[in-house]
Amino acid sequence: FSEILRRQCDLPIRFEQAEVNRPVIIVRGQYRYQPIARNRTHTDEYGDHFDRIDLFEHDHGEVKQSKSCRSFDKFCRFVGDRINRPVINEAGREPENFLTAGYHPADLRRAKAHGKIDELSLLAHLHKQTGLRFEIELRSMRVLIVRRTEE
């Protein structure tokens, strides 16, 4: 790929893989659904049961949008996308039901305006709703590094 960029776009770069220590979120514990007042387990038109977990820094009341996550690993990836950090599932007991991740667009707008989500607040709200611990740790992660080359 770097050869194509060098030849066709005249970009003198090369790619390298490296192992680096990065802060990640580790999910641990036993899942226990503890819905906030407006949420409950619901059943969709196919008879599948969903626990609704709201992702928010500051509670705005009813969330405006939701994302269906059929597995707990997908839910972890969705949370990771929201906070721009890998979320690694090491939970002992996962949900029996599917999950729906509810969120409010105001959180996205605030994050874009300030450049960062209040990660600790969001994780504290997730803990209250799931009983799981969300812990920040350093883990070795493979990354792709783009370097400028001399030509």
Side-chain angles (χ1 to χ4, degrees), residues 32-107:
R32 290 181 321 279
Y33 186 46
Q34 302 164 12
I36 52 181
R38 64 179 170 264
N39 290 345
R40 67 193 187 308
T41 298
H42 63 275
T43 304
D44 70 6
E45 63 270 17
Y46 304 107
D48 293 328
H49 302 290
F50 287 82
D51 293 346
R52 164 88 165 263
I53 310 293
D54 285 354
L55 305 175
F56 58 87
E57 305 165 74
H58 311 286
D59 196 352
H60 302 287
E62 188 63 34
V63 298
K64 301 294 182 187
Q65 298 175 339
S66 63
K67 164 91 171 145
S68 175
C69 301
R70 292 216 165 254
S71 73
F72 190 66
D73 284 330
K74 284 185 181 178
F75 178 78
C76 290
R77 280 194 300 276
F78 184 74
V79 172
D81 289 345
R82 291 294 306 271
I83 62 175
N84 197 28
R85 183 186 306 274
V87 176
I88 299 170
N89 176 17
E90 292 184 0
R93 181 173 154 256
E94 294 187 7
E96 294 176 14
N97 295 332
F98 296 125
L99 299 178
T100 299
Y103 57 98
H104 199 288
D107 283 338

Side-chain angles (χ1 to χ4, degrees), residues 103-125:
Y103 57 98
H104 199 288
D107 283 338
L108 292 176
R109 286 192 300 274
R110 186 175 31 262
K112 287 180 182 177
H114 299 293
K116 185 162 173 50
I117 285 181
D118 183 352
E119 185 178 279
L120 295 178
S121 177
L122 186 140
L123 296 175
H125 289 293

Side-chain angles (χ1 to χ4, degrees), residues 12 18 28 95:
R28 293 191 172 103

Side-chain angles (χ1 to χ4, degrees), residues 1-6 13 15:
F1 187 68
S2 58
E3 192 65 30
I4 293 170
L5 290 174
R6 254 194 313 277
I13 59 173
F15 296 101

